[in-house]
Amino acid sequence: MKPDHGQLLYEGKAKRVFSSGSNERVLVEFKDDATAFNAQKRAKLEGKGQINCQISASIFEVLEREGVPTHYLGLESDNWMVAQYVDVIPLEVVLRNIATGSLCRETPIPFGTELSPALLDLYYKDDALSDPLLSEARLEKLGLLSKQKLLEVETLSRKVNQVLTSFFANLDLLLVDFKLEIGLNQHNQLVLADEVSPDTCRLWDQRISDPEERILDKDRFRKDLGGVVEGYGEILKRIQGVCPKPRNYK
Ligand code: TMP
């Protein structure tokens, strides 16, 4: 259901962000659109928006309970979320527990290598530049955030990894890697923004050993494996088995 909302502030590949009538809050719509390879591959996957919105809401509630600040305030409807207004830092923070994806395409690190401590990669979020991997020196040159804030980003991201790795392990899901986006709220505090969903995390079903069948995340779409929404639905089902229904914003 579409709530009353103000003007469109931002449209991304999987979400739209609208003003809400308050300077402090935005309304986020999760779309059914799926894209990969910097939007060269596109599809509409019916039900994806709703599933990702519900998964993200539950994950944000789990993280909040563990002391991780997030932009999430509550649900508005099945595929709409209310969030704090934040300035998103144009960075993609990727944490990798198991080597796969671009790490294996771009380095000789073998597929499946366990990375402990998790590898943290920072990318500059800019579709026109295809989200390039940053060096520390380039990051400093860009001046996107202070050294102190960068350390805070790293601490926050590692805490998210620790909480989510054990949360998903309880559901027989292996958190292979994931991408986070971080924003600054109106009090200049870092908060986790964007979404945490199978669009942004790789999750393998530990009850299945087949290397393709066990994939439950957007790699099903990237690799044309089929059953994308079914994979996402399986993750939601397991989360709903242990989490209460996410709160409504009121
Ligand atoms: P990668 O192996 O393609 O670099 O992806 C690492 C993780 O980041 C994986 O969980 C998927 C996620 N990701 C996004 O959420 N958005 C993106 O644009 C990309 C490239 C990856």
Side-chain angles (χ1 to χ4, degrees):
M1 217 180 41
K2 212 174 166 136
D4 279 342
H5 59 72
Q7 71 184 103
L8 179 66
L9 300 175
Y10 169 83
E11 175 150 16
K13 294 187 282 271
K15 292 184 297 301
R16 291 191 191 97
V17 179
F18 294 89
S19 63
S20 71
S22 148
N23 287 338
E24 290 180 19
R25 292 185 295 279
V26 292
L27 278 158
V28 183
E29 178 191 15
F30 285 67
K31 302 192 286 185
D32 283 344
D33 302 280
T35 68
F37 314 117
N38 205 12
Q40 290 177 57
K41 180 171 180 173
R42 292 169 178 274
K44 246 204 168 36
L45 301 172
E46 205 175 318
K48 180 185 82 95
Q50 185 177 323
I51 294 175
N52 277 357
C53 183
Q54 300 297 316
I55 291 176
S56 280
S58 288
I59 296 292
F60 283 137
E61 290 188 11
V62 167
L63 290 167
E64 189 178 62
R65 271 202 304 279
E66 297 292 332
V68 175
T70 84
H71 71 153
Y72 167 80
L73 295 170
L75 287 178
E76 178 68 35
S77 72
D78 287 349
N79 67 319
W80 287 77
M81 180 181 282
V82 186
Q84 284 180 53
Y85 184 99
V86 297
D87 284 319
V88 177
I89 302 168
L91 276 183
E92 300 203 338
V93 184
V94 171
L95 269 285
R96 301 177 191 274
N97 296 309
I98 308 280
T100 182
S102 67
L103 181 64
C104 296
R105 282 199 309 276
E106 295 166 4
T107 76
I109 298 171
F111 170 81
T113 305
E114 283 187 32
L115 307 163
S116 184
L119 198 65
L120 188 150
D121 284 330
L122 296 171
Y123 297 83
Y124 183 53
K125 185 176 160 65
D126 185 331
D127 284 343
L129 297 174
S130 305
D131 302 340
L133 178 63
L134 292 174
S135 63
E136 241 179 76
R138 287 185 183 191
L139 184 58
E140 202 180 324
K141 265 281 175 261
L142 282 170
L144 295 178
L145 70 181
S146 65
K147 277 220 160 91
Q148 174 57 34
K149 283 276 185 263
L150 179 60
L151 276 177
E152 284 177 39
V153 165
E154 174 157 359
T155 305
L156 185 75
S157 305
R158 290 196 182 279
K159 171 88 188 265
V160 171
N161 190 32
Q162 178 215 321
V163 171
L164 293 189
T165 296
S166 81
F167 172 77
F168 283 124
N170 275 328
L171 306 179
D172 290 338
L173 297 170
L174 179 64
L175 181 60
V176 174
D177 58 25
F178 59 96
K179 183 260 306 186
L180 299 177
E181 293 186 26
I182 289 169
L184 284 168
N185 69 13
Q186 299 192 337
H187 311 286
N188 203 34
Q189 288 161 333
L190 290 173
V191 299
L192 187 60
D194 194 47
E195 66 181 284
V196 180
S197 76
D199 268 7
T200 61
C201 301
R202 286 194 173 96
L203 287 160
W204 292 350
D205 188 348
Q206 292 186 298
R207 297 172 191 165
I208 295 175
S209 57
D210 182 87
E212 287 190 347
E213 270 182 51
R214 69 184 172 184
I215 295 172
L216 296 175
D217 56 78
K218 195 156 95 170
D219 270 352
R220 297 206 70 80
F221 174 67
R222 295 189 188 97
K223 295 169 185 267
D224 293 320
L225 299 176
V228 184
V229 175
E230 289 76 5
Y232 286 32
E234 179 60 27
I235 295 169
L236 177 59
K237 196 174 93 191
R238 290 193 201 180
I239 290 174
Q240 286 172 333
V242 296
C243 288
K245 206 170 156 350
R247 64 178 178 255
N248 286 319
Y249 182 78
K250 274 294 167 265

